[in-house]
PDB file of all heavy atoms in Angstrom:
ATOM      1  N   ASP A  55      -6.565 -29.467 -39.815  1.00 98.00           N
ATOM      2  CA  ASP A  55      -6.440 -28.705 -41.065  1.00 98.00           C
ATOM      3  C   ASP A  55      -5.456 -27.564 -40.838  1.00 98.00           C
ATOM      4  O   ASP A  55      -5.569 -26.829 -39.863  1.00 98.00           O
ATOM      5  CB  ASP A  55      -7.810 -28.171 -41.508  1.00 98.00           C
ATOM      6  CG  ASP A  55      -7.845 -27.894 -43.003  1.00 98.00           C
ATOM      7  OD1 ASP A  55      -7.007 -27.101 -43.472  1.00 98.00           O
ATOM      8  OD2 ASP A  55      -8.694 -28.479 -43.698  1.00 98.00           O
ATOM      9  N   SER A 107      -7.185 -27.921 -49.354  1.00 98.00           N
ATOM     10  CA  SER A 107      -7.762 -28.987 -48.535  1.00 98.00           C
ATOM     11  C   SER A 107      -8.533 -29.999 -49.373  1.00 98.00           C
ATOM     12  O   SER A 107      -8.717 -31.139 -48.949  1.00 98.00           O
ATOM     13  CB  SER A 107      -8.678 -28.407 -47.458  1.00 98.00           C
ATOM     14  OG  SER A 107      -7.898 -27.744 -46.511  1.00 98.00           O
ATOM     15  N   ASP A 293      -6.839 -24.167 -39.275  1.00 98.00           N
ATOM     16  CA  ASP A 293      -6.514 -23.619 -40.595  1.00 98.00           C
ATOM     17  C   ASP A 293      -7.034 -22.189 -40.758  1.00 98.00           C
ATOM     18  O   ASP A 293      -6.310 -21.307 -41.212  1.00 98.00           O
ATOM     19  CB  ASP A 293      -7.118 -24.525 -41.664  1.00 98.00           C
ATOM     20  CG  ASP A 293      -6.820 -24.050 -43.076  1.00 98.00           C
ATOM     21  OD1 ASP A 293      -5.649 -24.077 -43.466  1.00 98.00           O
ATOM     22  OD2 ASP A 293      -7.768 -23.655 -43.785  1.00 98.00           O
ATOM     23  N   HIS A 297      -4.836 -18.938 -41.566  1.00 98.00           N
ATOM     24  CA  HIS A 297      -5.023 -18.071 -42.747  1.00 98.00           C
ATOM     25  C   HIS A 297      -5.014 -16.607 -42.306  1.00 98.00           C
ATOM     26  O   HIS A 297      -4.460 -15.756 -42.982  1.00 98.00           O
ATOM     27  CB  HIS A 297      -6.367 -18.371 -43.432  1.00 98.00           C
ATOM     28  CG  HIS A 297      -6.312 -19.519 -44.388  1.00 98.00           C
ATOM     29  ND1 HIS A 297      -5.675 -19.435 -45.607  1.00 98.00           N
ATOM     30  CD2 HIS A 297      -6.812 -20.769 -44.317  1.00 98.00           C
ATOM     31  CE1 HIS A 297      -5.794 -20.600 -46.247  1.00 98.00           C
ATOM     32  NE2 HIS A 297      -6.473 -21.429 -45.481  1.00 98.00           N
ATOM     33  N   HIS A 337      -1.970 -30.044 -44.497  1.00 98.00           N
ATOM     34  CA  HIS A 337      -0.934 -29.133 -45.014  1.00 98.00           C
ATOM     35  C   HIS A 337      -0.648 -28.139 -43.915  1.00 98.00           C
ATOM     36  O   HIS A 337      -1.420 -28.022 -42.968  1.00 98.00           O
ATOM     37  CB  HIS A 337      -1.427 -28.388 -46.269  1.00 98.00           C
ATOM     38  CG  HIS A 337      -2.785 -27.780 -46.071  1.00 98.00           C
ATOM     39  ND1 HIS A 337      -2.994 -26.685 -45.267  1.00 98.00           N
ATOM     40  CD2 HIS A 337      -4.016 -28.166 -46.508  1.00 98.00           C
ATOM     41  CE1 HIS A 337      -4.287 -26.408 -45.239  1.00 98.00           C
ATOM     42  NE2 HIS A 337      -4.942 -27.294 -45.967  1.00 98.00           N
ATOM     43  N   CYS A 339      -0.309 -24.127 -42.769  1.00 98.00           N
ATOM     44  CA  CYS A 339      -1.010 -22.916 -43.222  1.00 98.00           C
ATOM     45  C   CYS A 339      -0.417 -21.672 -42.567  1.00 98.00           C
ATOM     46  O   CYS A 339      -0.175 -21.652 -41.362  1.00 98.00           O
ATOM     47  CB  CYS A 339      -2.497 -23.017 -42.885  1.00 98.00           C
ATOM     48  SG  CYS A 339      -3.432 -21.562 -43.408  1.00 98.00           S
ATOM     49  N   HIS A 465      -1.665 -21.502 -47.791  1.00 98.00           N
ATOM     50  CA  HIS A 465      -0.967 -22.688 -47.278  1.00 98.00           C
ATOM     51  C   HIS A 465       0.499 -22.643 -47.698  1.00 98.00           C
ATOM     52  O   HIS A 465       0.885 -21.818 -48.521  1.00 98.00           O
ATOM     53  CB  HIS A 465      -1.608 -23.963 -47.843  1.00 98.00           C
ATOM     54  CG  HIS A 465      -3.067 -24.072 -47.526  1.00 98.00           C
ATOM     55  ND1 HIS A 465      -3.918 -24.914 -48.195  1.00 98.00           N
ATOM     56  CD2 HIS A 465      -3.833 -23.421 -46.605  1.00 98.00           C
ATOM     57  CE1 HIS A 465      -5.132 -24.790 -47.709  1.00 98.00           C
ATOM     58  NE2 HIS A 465      -5.117 -23.883 -46.745  1.00 98.00           N
TER      59      HIS A 465
HETATM   60 ZN1   ZN B 601      -6.822 -23.568 -45.663  1.00 77.36          ZN
END
Side-chain angles (χ1 to χ4, degrees):
D55 203 303
S107 290
D293 181 66
H297 276 288
H337 49 72
C339 180
H465 302 163

